[in-house]
Amino acid sequence: MSNDGIKRRDFIKQSAAGLSVPILAGETTVTPVATQGIRPLVISSSNRNRTPTGDVFEGGIACVTRAMEIIKAGGDTLDAVVAGVKIVEDDPRDDSVGYGGLPNEECDVELDASVMHGPSRRAGAVASLRYIKNPASVAKLVLERTDHLLLVGEGALRFALKHGFKKEDLLTEPSRKAWLAWRESLNPRDGWGPSPLRTGGEQERKTSSAGLSREEIALNEWIAEKLRHRQTGTINCLALNAAGDISGVTTTSGLAWKIPGRVGDSPIIGSGLYVDNEVGAAGSTGRGEECIYINGSHTIVENMRRGMSPADAAMDAIKRISHRYGDNRTELANFNINFYAINKRGEHGGASLWKGGTYAIHDGREAKIVDCAWLYEKK
Ligand code: ASP
């Protein structure tokens, strides 16, 4: 990272590979785990998206590949993960993150993000941020340039603008059309949507594919998918370098059609993201409210501190969520949630409530998609 903010303060120095002596930082003493022989590792949620044009965008693979390039070039782990997710924030083909993210119920795109830098033990976050397509970079500035942790709404926007971010309309045409279809489908008795007195509305065009081009059919299928269930989506990315330093980021447009001002788990430190440079890191995607209830990512890191593998630690968090519902699968079928985790030794794991979760990894040799462990399977 452009270490300005960190250097300005007397925070903990980044640990060098293989150190086994305590490092003194201010009044805090930490004893790093010996880390010789660690291979760098980057993982992220898979963010494999079917796009409005019918293609597939592999956001997770793009993210881990970019982050690993930076780590291999000697860059800081936080710079690496923020650059990795920026690809997805910038790309409208991912409708759950940054530019092109699905809007809230008033058709405004509101973004949440958090970052944590293991070596300096610092965090930054923004919530309900509008008009700025890279909330993770703004969260990193909160970490580097303030002694605050979380900025929200109008204050977060003003902070970003003062730091030179550009104000942009984040709503894309496909996202606008998806919002309109959602709004028109809500209530047959309100003023929205086709009525016997009107013809040619968006909703009518959507219901028949006769005479439509391939692009229009692909868009309509994409919109129909957005309406089938309540859309969530986010990207979480965690990285470990050869020195054993760890950072993480989570960035999202949150729950589609949310009430303006709703904040999910992604910008909440300990929920959508947690990093402890002595232990490991964890992050989450999926139903944010459930993650906040159990402080998911912090729970996972504490599980790893007590000796659990990343996969077991993540599955334990999934089970805690299931227990809130008395393990009632009918109720649990209303949402999904995924956790991802790495430890200081370079081991990784993921766990999902429902079968089918995947995540992206880059181990320094190749990027690939691997399966999450799962608790339940839908029949
Ligand atoms: N966790 C995000 C939120 O609740 C959404 C998601 O990851 O799908 O805002």
Side-chain angles (χ1 to χ4, degrees), residues 302-314:
E302 291 309 304
N303 284 342
M304 292 194 289
R305 192 192 305 282
R306 290 194 300 274
M308 280 191 198
S309 70
D312 288 351

Side-chain angles (χ1 to χ4, degrees), residues 21 30 56 88 120 132 137 147 172 192 196 229 249 268 278 339:
V21 291
V30 291
V56 173
V88 182
S120 63
I132 306 290
S137 301
D147 68 356
T172 54
W192 290 84
H229 39 80
V249 59
I268 308 296
E278 294 168 52
F339 289 112

Side-chain angles (χ1 to χ4, degrees), residues 38 46 123 145 169 267 307:
I38 296 281
S46 54
R145 310 293 301 183
D169 182 2

Side-chain angles (χ1 to χ4, degrees), residues 163-230:
H163 279 279
F165 281 82
K166 218 167 78 211
K167 195 169 177 179
E168 288 172 86
D169 182 2
L170 304 182
L171 188 70
T172 54
E173 271 304 279
S175 289
R176 184 189 64 77
K177 287 182 172 159
W179 177 85
L180 201 53
W182 167 77
R183 187 64 192 82
E184 291 183 344
S185 70
L186 282 187
N187 181 354
R189 295 193 190 163
D190 71 12
W192 290 84
S195 83
L197 301 176
R198 289 191 261 141
T199 54
E202 299 264 354
Q203 180 74 17
E204 269 174 59
R205 282 196 279 117
K206 175 166 82 58
T207 50
S208 157
S209 57
L212 295 185
S213 67
R214 243 188 40 219
E215 291 73 28
E216 286 170 320
I217 292 170
L219 177 64
N220 285 349
E221 282 171 3
W222 177 81
I223 290 174
E225 174 60 25
K226 302 295 126 190
L227 300 193
R228 247 192 293 283
H229 39 80
R230 208 155 174 202

Side-chain angles (χ1 to χ4, degrees), residues 52 92 94-112 128-131 169-183 186 192 222-223 226-227 229-233 252-262:
D94 190 312
D95 57 60
S96 68
V97 178
Y99 177 58
L102 291 171
N104 66 19
E105 70 173 21
E106 290 176 2
C107 205
D108 295 320
V109 181
E110 277 184 341
L111 305 177
D112 300 335
S128 299
L129 175 64
R130 292 170 59 185
Y131 305 120
D169 182 2
L170 304 182
L171 188 70
T172 54
E173 271 304 279
S175 289
R176 184 189 64 77
K177 287 182 172 159
W179 177 85
L180 201 53
W182 167 77
R183 187 64 192 82
L186 282 187
W192 290 84
W222 177 81
I223 290 174
K226 302 295 126 190
L227 300 193
H229 39 80
R230 208 155 174 202
Q231 288 289 314
T232 54
T252 189
S253 53
L255 197 58
W257 337 130
K258 62 192 172 188
I259 297 172
R262 177 266 186 188

